[in-house]
Structure formats: structure tokens, C-alpha cells
């Protein structure tokens, strides 16, 4: 297993700090082939779990409080099960506290516990280290206390933690992909019903390459919530609960009552839903050219209509468009930074990386980073 070294590191740290043998959980990050900002509109997404993520070690203690140690931050925090509320000065702790609080609401935990965790996901790259952390904690608690929560209940707890403790009104894509991922596969997920279809991903002579802008936008969280509010208010104007319920012609019927910016955002969502379904169909037909075109079109919408891109992401996608080796590329995740996802000829990867690396430094005076990823399975117990 690719995460053996990480699991060993976390286990050793736990033994050293707490002198006990912990349960070990691996919880992956995710990529998303296509379908951005559609999940909280009850639409379609096409994500996959990857072989990188978070390992969490957890065990009951006989103390009067719980303790969590984040190896990568070298920070330890204690908390009481009866006094769980968000903190203001420690973003990663809120993911943990939010999940513990959500579990408490379902079934009261009676014993305290210790947690150690670490990850091998590049931070701020848009690979959902937050969902990976949330899922690792809820899965760990479920195992430790034999709570018998279903996977769907667990991801609902993870998502609620992010809503209530981190105050990002995220959709369900990241938590779902991290929990339900299937080896070498992507999941076509209907976010309205949570029904998913597994697609074994074989890109033949093509490969996925992620390029990290290394930009972390500080306004991303509020901009994300703003987008969600716009979509919900357009849906409300149409008398429905989500944009999933409407056709483009419905939207056009109220165009004059909307600002141009809001109309374009809602239109983007409806068009992106169509692109996700078309992308799944093109994978079924092994039509990678079409699949790649849909990735480019998705980026276009995210850049021009939904307004969640940034100069660095746009630059990387334009490099991809110019290269004969790349058949599709787009920004991935919430936006304002993070990675682009590129589908390109495997034999041309090194040359393309070299070209992009040089052009990016020349333009932005800072480096970008490259990752190839393997699609892996969802959260599991390591030991
Ligand atoms: C973030 C959120 C997801 C999803 C994407 C955009 O990753 O956590 O729920 O909305 O942005 O597609």
C-alpha cells in the first residue's frame, strides 16, 4: 500500500505519546474529473478518491479529556466532549471538533479518546484534505465505539462539521468521493439522490496530470458561500429548492429579473450538469477527444460565467490548450487557486511539464508543482 510509510509514522507517534496501540484509518483525498460547483445544486459530479490522504490513529484513554495531535503542524490540543464549539484560532481543530460534535448528536460518546493524524496531500491544492480529515475522524470513532453508522450517515456528519464549525457551506462531493472511492475508478454521483455509478477509468495512452498553481486564495471560503447563495436565490425565484429542478428555458424565463452575473452563474450550473453526463457518456464510448473538449468547456464556464478562476489557473489551462499533447484541461475544485487537471499523452508528460514549468516561472515569478495520481479506494481501516 502506498500509504504504509505514513501509517507507520502515525502509529509510532501515537505509541510514543500515549503508550497504546491505536486503530489506524486511511482516508483519501479526491480529484474531480468534471462537475464543479454542481454538488450543492443537487446536480452531478464525477470525482475519484486518490492514493494520497490522511492517516488517523485513535484509541480510548482513561483521562478526563480528549487530545488530538496534528503531526504536520506539530500541535496538540485537548477538548472536552461536553463543551464542543468552534474555536477561532485553529482551522484544522474545527474539522475535528465539528465531527466529534456531530457524532455526539447521534450517539453520546461516554469515554474520552486520543487522536494523532498526518497526511501526504499537498496542502491547499484543492485535493480535499479537509474532507479526508473529517472522514478519518468519523470513521475512526465509528470503529472505536462500534457506533454502527452507515457510510452515508458518516459523510453527512463530515459535511455538517464543515458547515457548522468551519462555516463553509460545501456540497457532498468531497466527503462522498473520499468515503466511497473505488480502486482505479471514478464515481458519477447524482447529488440529489446520492446514487452513484462506478466507471473504471482507462485513459489508454493518456494520463491525468495535476498542476498546482501554489496559490491559496484567502477569500475562497466567503466567495464559495456567495456562489451558493446566488444559486439558492435564483432557485427560490423559480419556486424550486435547487437549480437541479429547472431547465435552461425556465431560467431564461426570469432572465430579465436577474443581474447578468447571477444569470450567468445559474446558467453555468445547468450547462455543467449537462457536461458531466456527456463526459460520462463519452467515457463509455471511449471517446476521449470529446471528453477532453468537455474539460476545456467546463473551465471556460468556471472562468467566464461562474467567476471562480484566477490568473494562474487560466494561464495553466491556456498552456494546455496550446500544447498538442493535451486533449483536455480545467481548474479543479472550489477555485481561486489549487490545481488544474490535465489529460495528456503519457509519452509527452515530461516535455509538457518542462515547458509549463518554465513559462509559469517566467510569468508569475514562482514555481508550479506537478502530481500524477492513482485512483484509490475510499476510507478503510489499516490494521
Ligand atoms: C469544494 C467543495 C465541494 C464542491 C467543490 C466545487 O471542493 O467542498 O463540495 O462544491 O468545491 O465543485
Amino acid at each position: 500500500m502506498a500509504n504504509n510509510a505514513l501509517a507507520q509514522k502515525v502509529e509510532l507517534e501515537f505509541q510514543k505519546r500515549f503508550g497504546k496501540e491505536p486503530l489506524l484509518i486511511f482516508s483519501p483525498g479526491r480529484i474531480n474529473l468534471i462537475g464543479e460547483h454542481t454538488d450543492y445544486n443537487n446536480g452531478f459530479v464525477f470525482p475519484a478518491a486518490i492514493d494520497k490522504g490522511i492517516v488517523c490513529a485513535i484509541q480510548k484513554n482513561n483521562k478526563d479529556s480528549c487530545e488530538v495531535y496534528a503531526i504536520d503542524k506539530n500541535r496538540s490540543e485537548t477538548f472536552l466532549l461536553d463543551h464542543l464549539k468552534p474555536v477561532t484560532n485553529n482551522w484544522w481543530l474545527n474539522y475535528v471538533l465539528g465531527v466529534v460534535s456531530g457524532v455526539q448528536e447521534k450517539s453520546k460518546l461516554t469515554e474520552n479518546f486520543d487522536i494523532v493524524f498526518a497526511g501526504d496531500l499537498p496542502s491547499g491544492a484543492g485535493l480535499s484534505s479537509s474532507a479526508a480529515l473529517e472522514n478519518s475522524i468519523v470513521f475512526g470513532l465509528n470503529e472505536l465505539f462500534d457506533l454502527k453508522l452507515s457510510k452515508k450517515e458518516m459523510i453527512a456528519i463530515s459535511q455538517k462539521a464543515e458547515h457548522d464549525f468551519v462555516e463553509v457551506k460545501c456540497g457532498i462531493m468531497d466527503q462522498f468521493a473520499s468515503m466511497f472511492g473505488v480502486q482505479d475508478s471514478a464515481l458519477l454521483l447524482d447529488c440529489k439522490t446520492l446514487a452513484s455509478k462506478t466507471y473504471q477509468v482507462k485513459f489508454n495512452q493518456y494520463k491525468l496530470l495535476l498542476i498546482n498553481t501554489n496559490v491559496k486564495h484567502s477569500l475562497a471560503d466567503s466567495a464559495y458561500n456567495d456562489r451558493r447563495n446566488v444559486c439558492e436565490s435564483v432557485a427560490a425565484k423559480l419556486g424550486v429548492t435547487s437549480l437541479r429542478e429547472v431547465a435552461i428555458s425556465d431560467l431564461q424565463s426570469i432572465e430579465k429579473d436577474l443581474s447578468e452575473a447571477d444569470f450567468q452563474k445559474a446558467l453555468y450550473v445547468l450547462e455543467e450538469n449537462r457536461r458531466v453526463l456527456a463526459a460520462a457518456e463519452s467515457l463509455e464510448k471511449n471517446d476521449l477527444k470529446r471528453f477532453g473538449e468537455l474539460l476545456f468547456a467546463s473551465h471556460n464556464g468556471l472562468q467566464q460565467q461562474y467567476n471562480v478562476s484566477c490568473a494562474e489557473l487560466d494561464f495553466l489551462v491556456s498552456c494546455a490548450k496550446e500544447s498538442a499533447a493535451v486533449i483536455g484541461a480545467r481548474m479543479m475544485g472550489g477555485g481561486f487557486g489549487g490545481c488544474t487537471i490535465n489529460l495528456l499523452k503519457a509519452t509527452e508528460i515530461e516535455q509538457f511539464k518542462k515547458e509549463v514549468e518554465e513559462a509559469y516561472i517566467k510569468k508569475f515569478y514562482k514555481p508550479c508543482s506537478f502530481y500524477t495520481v492513482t485512483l484509490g479506494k475510499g476510507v478503510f481501516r489499516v490494521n
Side-chain angles (χ1 to χ4, degrees):
M1 192 186 69
N3 332 91
N4 262 342
L6 181 62
Q8 223 168 42
K9 175 169 100 173
V10 176
E11 183 178 26
L12 283 175
E13 185 63 41
F14 192 97
Q15 290 165 339
K16 197 176 99 195
R17 289 189 162 251
F18 302 115
K20 280 189 175 176
E21 196 51 51
L23 307 186
L24 289 171
I25 313 296
F26 175 73
S27 178
R30 64 101 188 91
I31 59 163
N32 185 22
L33 296 178
I34 190 165
E36 227 58 89
H37 291 274
T38 44
D39 60 352
Y40 53 82
N41 288 298
N42 276 347
F44 299 98
V45 290
F46 209 174
I50 57 176
D51 61 344
K52 291 188 175 14
I54 301 257
V55 170
C56 146
I58 187 165
Q59 191 50 273
K60 293 176 189 170
N61 64 28
N62 298 316
K63 300 184 291 191
D64 46 18
S65 62
C66 298
E67 186 171 342
V68 52
Y69 176 62
I71 296 183
D72 302 326
K73 308 271 169 227
N74 189 21
R75 272 188 75 171
S76 169
E77 304 283 347
T78 54
F79 58 91
L80 300 174
L81 289 174
D82 291 338
H83 292 88
L84 293 167
K85 52 179 187 336
V87 293
T88 48
N89 56 352
N90 187 341
W91 58 269
W92 64 261
L93 185 59
N94 278 333
Y95 294 108
V96 178
L97 298 180
V99 167
V100 177
S101 164
V103 170
Q104 284 276 77
E105 280 170 22
K106 284 236 160 215
S107 49
K108 199 117 184 86
L109 301 172
T110 46
E111 278 176 82
N112 291 310
F113 49 87
D114 297 317
I115 295 173
V116 171
F117 73 90
D120 59 1
L121 287 166
S123 98
L127 297 175
S128 287
S129 51
S130 36
L133 175 57
E134 292 150 10
N135 279 353
S136 77
I137 306 290
V138 71
F139 197 94
L141 288 171
N142 191 46
E143 291 283 308
L144 188 64
F145 291 98
D146 194 22
L147 301 174
K148 303 198 166 38
L149 296 171
S150 70
K151 287 185 173 183
K152 284 190 178 159
E153 287 173 314
M154 286 192 264
I155 62 171
I157 289 172
S158 291
Q159 185 192 29
K160 191 168 183 292
E162 200 147 333
H163 286 195
D164 296 349
F165 276 63
V166 189
E167 291 181 18
V168 176
K169 304 284 176 203
C170 65
I172 197 66
M173 167 169 76
D174 304 347
Q175 292 80 6
F176 188 96
S178 166
M179 186 64 78
F180 288 93
V182 176
Q183 190 73 42
D184 299 321
S185 305
L187 308 170
L188 174 64
L189 172 65
D190 180 340
C191 298
K192 183 176 173 184
T193 60
L194 288 193
S196 70
K197 186 170 168 195
T198 303
Y199 284 71
Q200 233 208 347
V201 174
K202 283 196 238 102
F203 287 125
N204 310 327
Q205 77 265 42
Y206 295 94
K207 248 188 161 19
L208 290 175
L209 174 72
L210 303 182
I211 312 180
N212 191 353
T213 57
N214 292 320
V215 173
K216 217 181 163 212
H217 200 282
S218 58
L219 296 177
D221 289 356
S222 61
Y224 184 93
N225 290 343
D226 288 350
R227 299 300 182 284
R228 186 173 180 145
N229 289 339
V230 167
C231 293
E232 285 174 357
S233 80
V234 174
K237 279 204 171 87
L238 284 160
V240 291
T241 50
S242 78
L243 288 178
R244 169 66 179 280
E245 313 304 324
V246 304
I248 290 183
S249 55
D250 299 325
L251 184 62
Q252 282 161 340
S253 73
I254 60 157
E255 185 175 354
K256 57 175 184 337
D257 306 325
L258 300 173
S259 69
E260 176 61 12
D262 287 1
F263 173 74
Q264 288 301 334
K265 286 192 180 71
L267 182 61
Y268 158 81
V269 171
L270 303 190
E271 290 174 348
E272 181 78 347
N273 275 332
R274 288 182 171 185
R275 281 190 286 267
V276 177
L277 297 178
E281 196 185 307
S282 63
L283 275 194
E284 257 162 28
K285 291 185 183 149
N286 212 8
D287 184 353
L288 293 183
K289 189 167 167 285
R290 173 84 186 119
F291 183 81
E293 286 164 3
L294 291 160
L295 298 193
F296 281 130
S298 168
H299 184 80
N300 217 30
L302 288 159
Q303 177 188 3
Q304 313 281 355
Q305 295 171 279
Y306 214 65
N307 269 315
V308 288
S309 190
C310 64
E312 289 86 347
L313 288 165
D314 294 341
F315 181 76
L316 290 176
V317 172
S318 68
C319 291
K321 263 190 192 148
E322 276 164 27
S323 162
V326 185
I327 56 171
R330 60 178 202 85
M331 57 151 275
M332 193 181 75
F336 306 103
C339 290
T340 62
I341 180 168
N342 302 262
L343 186 59
L344 75 167
K345 279 211 188 92
T347 51
E348 309 276 335
I349 285 191
E350 290 314 314
Q351 179 60 28
F352 178 64
K353 274 162 68 170
K354 197 163 159 272
E355 285 165 18
V356 172
E357 189 167 33
E358 283 168 14
Y360 193 84
I361 288 221
K362 203 164 154 209
K363 173 113 182 143
F364 297 109
Y365 307 104
K366 63 187 172 199
C368 56
S369 319
F370 301 92
Y371 322 112
T372 45
V373 286
T374 303
L375 307 189
K377 56 180 175 165
V379 187
F380 59 91
R381 204 163 139 183
V382 178
N383 60 354

